Amino acid sequence: MDDRLEKALAFSQYRASIENRKKALARRFKNMLVVHHSNGIFCADSATIGFVAALIADKHTDAILIDDRGNTVQIDDLAELKTNLMSAYFAATNEYSVEMAKLAKARNVKKAMDW
């Protein structure tokens, strides 16, 4: 096989591997954002965190929330829910950031392939 063709095939396989890894990282990130609290399932995204923070700012200590599956959930301690959401969010974003940085470094090495 021609040397250029072999390099093109190797690069193509590398790109497919990178894309598969990015998709796997995104799935892991999304799964890490799931918080189970008071028999409810909540996503630790900015909207949920912001809403709970707004309830706390308005001096609410408990509330009935709709979880990600559409069920009503009685939350007796909004501060605890907020803490759980923030912990999950920061853990997920930190891991995602580290893994994406590793992926970017691997990508730069491959960009320097001799064509």
Side-chain angles (χ1 to χ4, degrees):
M1 205 186 303
D2 183 352
D3 187 43
R4 288 182 59 182
L5 185 57
E6 286 179 15
K7 287 182 181 181
L9 180 59
F11 185 73
S12 173
Q13 290 171 340
Y14 167 76
R15 291 295 302 159
S17 296
I18 291 291
E19 289 304 314
N20 288 339
R21 184 71 183 137
K22 285 171 80 173
K23 288 177 185 175
L25 287 174
R27 282 192 306 271
R28 170 124 173 95
F29 174 71
K30 189 173 181 179
N31 287 336
M32 287 183 71
L33 291 178
V34 174
V35 173
H36 297 271
H37 187 82
S38 298
N39 295 323
I41 299 174
F42 300 93
C43 181
D45 58 0
S46 57
T48 306
I49 293 169
F51 181 66
V52 172
L55 288 173
I56 292 170
D58 281 345
K59 309 284 191 252
H60 294 280
T61 58
D62 61 337
I64 297 175
L65 301 179
I66 308 296
D67 74 354
D68 287 355
R69 296 205 173 147
N71 299 321
T72 57
V73 179
Q74 173 66 41
I75 305 297
D76 295 323
D77 188 357
L78 286 171
E80 181 183 353
L81 175 60
K82 181 184 171 197
T83 301
N84 292 344
L85 290 170
M86 296 288 282
S87 295
Y89 179 80
F90 286 121
T93 53
N94 288 338
E95 181 178 313
Y96 188 68
S97 176
V98 167
E99 293 300 320
M100 288 299 283
K102 287 180 189 176
L103 197 57
K105 285 180 184 177
R107 181 183 260 165
N108 289 337
V109 171
K110 290 297 184 177
K111 276 187 176 179
M113 283 177 63
D114 180 33
W115 285 92

